[in-house]
mmCIF file of all heavy atoms in Angstrom:
data_model
loop_
_atom_site.group_PDB
_atom_site.id
_atom_site.type_symbol
_atom_site.label_atom_id
_atom_site.label_comp_id
_atom_site.label_asym_id
_atom_site.label_seq_id
_atom_site.Cartn_x
_atom_site.Cartn_y
_atom_site.Cartn_z
ATOM 1 N N LEU A 1142 38.282 9.259 -14.013
ATOM 2 C CA LEU A 1142 37.033 9.946 -13.734
ATOM 3 C C LEU A 1142 36.922 9.860 -12.104
ATOM 4 O O LEU A 1142 37.112 8.747 -11.647
ATOM 5 C CB LEU A 1142 35.907 9.179 -14.281
ATOM 6 C CG LEU A 1142 34.475 9.626 -13.896
ATOM 7 C CD1 LEU A 1142 34.179 11.176 -14.069
ATOM 8 C CD2 LEU A 1142 33.280 8.868 -14.528
ATOM 9 N N ILE A 1143 36.662 10.958 -11.536
ATOM 10 C CA ILE A 1143 36.364 11.037 -10.060
ATOM 11 C C ILE A 1143 34.890 11.578 -9.995
ATOM 12 O O ILE A 1143 34.478 12.551 -10.456
ATOM 13 C CB ILE A 1143 37.288 11.964 -9.332
ATOM 14 C CG1 ILE A 1143 38.788 11.452 -9.291
ATOM 15 C CG2 ILE A 1143 36.786 12.298 -7.834
ATOM 16 C CD1 ILE A 1143 39.688 12.424 -8.727
ATOM 17 N N MET A 1184 21.645 14.821 -5.537
ATOM 18 C CA MET A 1184 21.672 13.450 -5.020
ATOM 19 C C MET A 1184 20.915 13.449 -3.611
ATOM 20 O O MET A 1184 20.364 12.487 -3.307
ATOM 21 C CB MET A 1184 22.986 13.008 -4.971
ATOM 22 C CG MET A 1184 23.142 11.415 -4.586
ATOM 23 S SD MET A 1184 22.327 10.413 -5.857
ATOM 24 C CE MET A 1184 23.409 10.386 -7.171
ATOM 25 N N GLU A 1216 9.243 14.456 -8.544
ATOM 26 C CA GLU A 1216 9.099 14.484 -7.062
ATOM 27 C C GLU A 1216 10.390 14.270 -6.375
ATOM 28 O O GLU A 1216 11.246 13.415 -6.744
ATOM 29 C CB GLU A 1216 8.089 13.308 -6.636
ATOM 30 C CG GLU A 1216 6.683 13.517 -7.130
ATOM 31 C CD GLU A 1216 6.053 14.794 -6.595
ATOM 32 O OE1 GLU A 1216 6.260 15.092 -5.402
ATOM 33 O OE2 GLU A 1216 5.395 15.591 -7.305
ATOM 34 N N SER A 1227 10.533 -2.175 14.407
ATOM 35 C CA SER A 1227 9.809 -2.326 15.663
ATOM 36 C C SER A 1227 10.294 -1.142 16.615
ATOM 37 O O SER A 1227 11.471 -0.777 16.430
ATOM 38 C CB SER A 1227 10.016 -3.725 16.511
ATOM 39 O OG SER A 1227 11.529 -3.858 16.536
ATOM 40 N N VAL A 1244 30.191 5.240 14.332
ATOM 41 C CA VAL A 1244 30.605 6.388 15.016
ATOM 42 C C VAL A 1244 30.806 6.011 16.497
ATOM 43 O O VAL A 1244 30.103 5.177 17.144
ATOM 44 C CB VAL A 1244 29.655 7.572 14.890
ATOM 45 C CG1 VAL A 1244 29.592 8.137 13.428
ATOM 46 C CG2 VAL A 1244 28.310 7.113 15.389
ATOM 47 N N ASN A 1250 20.042 15.388 22.300
ATOM 48 C CA ASN A 1250 19.416 16.048 23.502
ATOM 49 C C ASN A 1250 19.126 14.932 24.482
ATOM 50 O O ASN A 1250 19.458 13.811 24.379
ATOM 51 C CB ASN A 1250 18.181 16.741 23.004
ATOM 52 C CG ASN A 1250 17.134 16.013 22.290
ATOM 53 O OD1 ASN A 1250 17.485 14.857 21.827
ATOM 54 N ND2 ASN A 1250 15.975 16.546 22.123
ATOM 55 N N ALA A 1274 10.655 17.815 10.560
ATOM 56 C CA ALA A 1274 10.640 16.474 11.261
ATOM 57 C C ALA A 1274 9.547 16.512 12.318
ATOM 58 O O ALA A 1274 8.815 15.483 12.557
ATOM 59 C CB ALA A 1274 11.932 16.220 11.819
ATOM 60 N N TYR A 1307 30.374 14.093 7.567
ATOM 61 C CA TYR A 1307 31.058 12.936 6.845
ATOM 62 C C TYR A 1307 30.379 11.666 7.177
ATOM 63 O O TYR A 1307 30.005 10.844 6.136
ATOM 64 C CB TYR A 1307 32.478 12.916 7.088
ATOM 65 C CG TYR A 1307 33.235 11.716 6.398
ATOM 66 C CD1 TYR A 1307 33.878 12.218 5.267
ATOM 67 C CD2 TYR A 1307 33.504 10.740 6.942
ATOM 68 C CE1 TYR A 1307 34.653 11.161 4.478
ATOM 69 C CE2 TYR A 1307 34.067 9.567 6.197
ATOM 70 C CZ TYR A 1307 34.793 9.856 5.104
ATOM 71 O OH TYR A 1307 35.486 8.942 4.385
ATOM 72 N N ILE A 1320 24.620 2.897 -9.557
ATOM 73 C CA ILE A 1320 24.175 3.573 -10.812
ATOM 74 C C ILE A 1320 25.101 3.209 -11.926
ATOM 75 O O ILE A 1320 24.637 2.737 -12.988
ATOM 76 C CB ILE A 1320 24.111 5.047 -10.554
ATOM 77 C CG1 ILE A 1320 23.079 5.494 -9.562
ATOM 78 C CG2 ILE A 1320 23.802 5.803 -11.886
ATOM 79 C CD1 ILE A 1320 23.157 6.939 -8.999
ATOM 80 N N TYR A 1342 38.881 13.457 15.823
ATOM 81 C CA TYR A 1342 38.213 13.312 17.112
ATOM 82 C C TYR A 1342 39.306 12.778 17.989
ATOM 83 O O TYR A 1342 39.912 11.737 17.846
ATOM 84 C CB TYR A 1342 37.016 12.289 17.125
ATOM 85 C CG TYR A 1342 35.973 12.806 16.108
ATOM 86 C CD1 TYR A 1342 36.044 12.525 14.763
ATOM 87 C CD2 TYR A 1342 34.847 13.619 16.613
ATOM 88 C CE1 TYR A 1342 34.999 12.947 13.899
ATOM 89 C CE2 TYR A 1342 33.818 14.014 15.757
ATOM 90 C CZ TYR A 1342 34.006 13.580 14.349
ATOM 91 O OH TYR A 1342 32.981 14.024 13.500
#
Side-chain angles (χ1 to χ4, degrees):
L1142 172 62
I1143 293 173
M1184 188 62 72
E1216 290 298 314
S1227 58
V1244 295
N1250 58 345
Y1307 179 93
I1320 295 167
Y1342 300 87

